[in-house]
Amino acid sequence: MKDFTESLSYLMKGILTIVENAVENSPRDKTLTGLILAVNTDGTYNLRLDGNTYNNIQAIKTGIVINVNDTVKVNIPQNQMNNMFILGKLG
């Protein structure tokens, strides 16, 4: 019985790992929170998101001024990092 329980535990852990990876990498939109690191002369931004730095990210034109150290919401369409854009700033 102990071997069965142990085997079942390993099987459940394996299934959970597969499901977590599938969800994380699925083609779905994500909205995350980032920090503005720089405002570029061309109107794009450099930002930190989940510990990574991304450069030349565009923002939706809302008339709201975004500055260095502002916290922003970032949309990542279909989980494609190269298509990310800034939705707006928080606060």
Side-chain angles (χ1 to χ4, degrees), residues 5-89:
T5 303
E6 189 174 320
S7 296
L8 187 58
S9 176
Y10 285 123
L11 178 62
M12 289 174 34
K13 287 178 185 177
I15 291 170
L16 183 60
T17 299
I18 291 169
V19 170
E20 287 172 343
N21 287 334
V23 169
E24 180 61 29
N25 297 314
S26 66
R28 61 186 165 83
D29 290 0
K30 289 184 180 180
T31 304
L32 302 174
T33 302
L35 178 70
I36 298 297
L37 301 176
V39 179
N40 302 317
T41 57
D42 64 355
T44 62
Y45 302 88
N46 298 349
L47 62 90
R48 182 176 301 122
L49 189 65
D50 287 341
N52 297 308
T53 299
Y54 298 93
N55 298 317
N56 305 315
I57 307 302
Q58 294 183 350
I60 291 179
K61 304 299 182 207
T62 61
I64 296 172
V65 177
I66 300 174
N67 298 304
V68 173
N69 291 324
D70 280 347
T71 303
V72 294
K73 281 296 184 181
V74 179
N75 184 264
I76 305 165
Q78 296 296 304
N79 206 15
Q80 298 290 318
M81 298 303 277
N82 60 334
N83 292 327
M84 81 169 68
F85 59 91
I86 299 169
L87 292 167
K89 75 176 185 177

